[in-house]
């Protein structure tokens, strides 16, 4: 019988964002450590946390960087639900939510059909 390698679960294939951001902040942005501490103290960072950390570190990005990053984003279901909860909490329209999180209005509509 041939040895069949078991595929690792998606949790094992995920980058260790906590270590990545901890190292990045300690080396390049030590002045932001206090603002980022609440996220870095968590056991594991979710996509939503990574978005928040990235926003703290980068501040305002230029248009080209925003456009490039938008094409390479992916969200887990937990993050999508938190984004949709943000819409309910602050009573945002789909357009306002899309602009706030730099998403497409169509993406927000699709998520609402899938998750609500």
């Amino acid at each position: 019988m041939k040895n069949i390698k078991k595929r690792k679960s998606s949790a094992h294939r995920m980058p260790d964002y906590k270590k990545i951001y901890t190292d990045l902040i300690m080396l390049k942005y030590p002045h932001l450590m206090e603002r980022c501490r609440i996220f870095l103290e968590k056991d594991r960072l979710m996509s939503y946390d990574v978005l928040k950390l990235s926003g703290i570190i980068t501040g305002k990005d230029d248009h080209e960087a925003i456009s490039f990053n938008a094409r390479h984003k992916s969200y887990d279901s937990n993050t999508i639900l938190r984004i949709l909860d943000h819409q309910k909490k602050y009573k945002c329209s789909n357009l306002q939510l899309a602009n706030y999180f730099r998403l497409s209005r169509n993406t927000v509509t699709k998520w609402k059909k899938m998750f609500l």
Side-chain angles (χ1 to χ4, degrees), residues 30-85:
H31 60 282
L32 296 176
M33 183 57 90
E34 278 304 312
R35 289 182 60 198
C36 300
R37 187 172 307 282
I38 192 167
F39 298 106
L40 299 177
E41 289 176 348
K42 293 183 177 186
D43 291 333
R44 198 180 99 184
L45 295 178
M46 303 302 289
S47 299
Y48 188 80
D49 300 326
V50 172
L51 288 173
K52 289 294 191 180
L53 277 172
S54 180
I56 290 170
I57 291 171
T58 59
K60 293 187 177 184
D61 295 339
D62 63 0
H63 183 69
E64 185 178 320
I66 291 170
S67 174
F68 175 79
N69 289 335
R71 285 178 286 196
H72 300 286
K73 286 185 198 172
S74 65
Y75 299 96
D76 58 1
S77 57
N78 185 30
T79 302
I80 293 170
L81 291 172
R82 287 187 67 181
I83 290 172
L84 294 175
D85 284 342

Side-chain angles (χ1 to χ4, degrees), residues 2-44:
K2 293 182 179 180
N3 289 337
I4 299 174
K5 291 184 180 179
K6 290 184 180 180
R7 290 184 116 182
K8 292 183 179 182
S9 68
S10 62
H12 293 284
R13 292 185 296 199
M14 296 280 296
D16 187 358
Y17 289 116
K18 182 177 178 177
K19 178 149 178 51
I20 292 168
Y21 276 97
T22 301
D23 291 346
L24 178 67
I25 292 167
M26 287 175 58
L27 293 173
K28 289 194 168 195
Y29 306 100
H31 60 282
L32 296 176
M33 183 57 90
E34 278 304 312
R35 289 182 60 198
C36 300
R37 187 172 307 282
I38 192 167
F39 298 106
L40 299 177
E41 289 176 348
K42 293 183 177 186
D43 291 333
R44 198 180 99 184

